[in-house]
Amino acid sequence: FSPDGFDVAGSGPLYLQLQRRIADAVAEGRLAPGDSLPAERDMAAMTGLSRVTVRKAVQALVAQGVLVQKRGSGTFVAARVERLEQALSLLTSFTEDMARRGRSVESVWLSRALHAPAPEEVMALGLGAGDRVARLERVRRSDGVPLAIERASLSAQVLPDPMAVEASLYALLEERGLRPVRAVQRISAANLGAKDADLLGVAPGVAGLRIERVSYLPSGRVVEFTRSLYRGDAYDFAVELKLAP
Ligand code: 16G
């Protein structure tokens, strides 16, 4: 962070010049994931730029996910996530997907309880009057990195005891002879709101993928309605296409 090379006259706005400099340092490995950046006032002193200019550059990099700000402790280079390729044509669980890759699985439970269903749960699960719904809400992590927020709803007739789900929902369903064999999945783009972004350790507003899965038993009965938010920077979804008949 030296004052050299900032071109007050040309080369675009000063904050952009600083932004590019920091981004280059990260890309070239001179700043590594987890490294902390000097305080705003120190960066201003080092570069000879104003604090407003420094703040603008830092904010832009936070919005891009290059830097992260932790309340009370400063600004850091964001952990880089390795993108995971996920096949879209196989009905697998998060636990199975990670095990296949030799990765660990950790879930942070947000809630696990029975509720009165919301209208979309009644529709998706085909619930009757008076039926209750089991809601499982958790942040799915692997090798310490938060990857997705999952909100699963199942009829209380399928899962009367939501607290019984420990590491894997599908493993428990399998034990009970209720493993889904078919699912319909919809994927759409979403910018992550402040709360969800915080849960996923990314900056608010960054790109995410909303995935809705409705899965079925061999009998055709719906077993699960799950709404998830996946980090856009962590996943590539892949599917094989065949020539239309
Ligand atoms: C996957 C599924 C989710 C399912 C979960 C069970 C998507 C995109 N994927 O994450 O529907 O509930 O696996 O995982 O929704 P588990 O058996 O590890 O609990």
Side-chain angles (χ1 to χ4, degrees):
F1 297 109
S2 78
D4 314 330
F6 287 104
D7 181 356
V8 185
S11 292
L14 287 168
Y15 85 88
L16 261 185
Q17 294 181 38
L18 176 61
Q19 186 183 326
R20 251 179 246 131
R21 240 193 232 201
I22 299 173
D24 286 350
V26 173
E28 290 160 15
R30 281 178 283 123
L31 279 173
D35 281 356
S36 67
L37 266 77
E40 194 178 281
R41 103 181 77 77
D42 296 333
M43 267 207 273
M46 286 178 214
T47 55
L49 301 173
S50 74
R51 284 183 67 162
V52 175
T53 302
V54 169
R55 188 173 314 147
K56 236 176 138 179
V58 168
Q59 291 310 332
L61 290 164
V62 168
Q64 288 173 3
V66 174
L67 301 179
V68 281
Q69 272 174 329
K70 295 183 189 158
R71 222 164 296 142
S73 56
T75 306
F76 301 86
V77 178
R80 209 161 312 141
V81 293
E82 182 196 333
R83 291 181 83 87
L84 300 172
E85 182 162 312
Q86 176 69 35
L88 277 178
S89 47
L90 299 171
L91 179 51
T92 52
S93 73
F94 188 86
T95 303
E96 291 162 345
D97 290 335
M98 295 306 145
R100 195 170 36 79
R101 296 181 169 99
R103 296 176 59 111
S104 72
V105 182
E106 309 95 41
S107 288
V108 180
W109 284 101
L110 304 175
S111 68
R112 232 180 320 184
L114 294 177
H115 296 268
E120 64 266 28
E121 290 170 318
V122 173
M123 289 272 287
L125 297 169
L127 300 178
D131 283 346
R132 310 255 290 158
V133 74
R135 272 190 215 143
L136 309 170
E137 208 179 338
R138 54 192 161 157
V139 178
R140 313 297 313 253
R141 301 166 62 101
S142 174
D143 288 352
V145 182
L147 294 173
I149 304 167
E150 276 182 4
R151 299 180 170 104
S153 304
L154 295 88
S155 162
Q157 290 175 21
V158 171
L159 189 69
D161 49 352
M163 289 301 285
V165 181
E166 283 168 26
S168 166
L169 170 64
Y170 277 22
L172 182 74
L173 293 174
E174 176 119 50
E175 268 172 38
R176 297 180 176 181
L178 295 169
R179 163 98 195 200
V181 293
R182 188 175 79 82
V184 175
Q185 205 160 277
R186 286 173 192 284
I187 305 182
S188 52
N191 290 107
L192 300 174
K195 198 166 149 251
D196 290 332
D198 196 45
L199 289 171
L200 291 174
V202 295
V206 306
L209 290 157
R210 182 180 296 118
I211 307 188
E212 235 183 64
R213 178 184 289 189
V214 177
S215 64
Y216 300 85
L217 295 175
S219 63
R221 181 173 170 204
V222 176
V223 60
E224 165 205 20
F225 170 48
T226 296
R227 287 159 289 181
S228 317
L229 277 172
Y230 278 69
R231 277 174 66 160
D233 62 347
Y235 272 91
D236 284 323
F237 290 99
V239 65
E240 184 185 332
L241 304 177
K242 300 200 175 99
L243 200 60

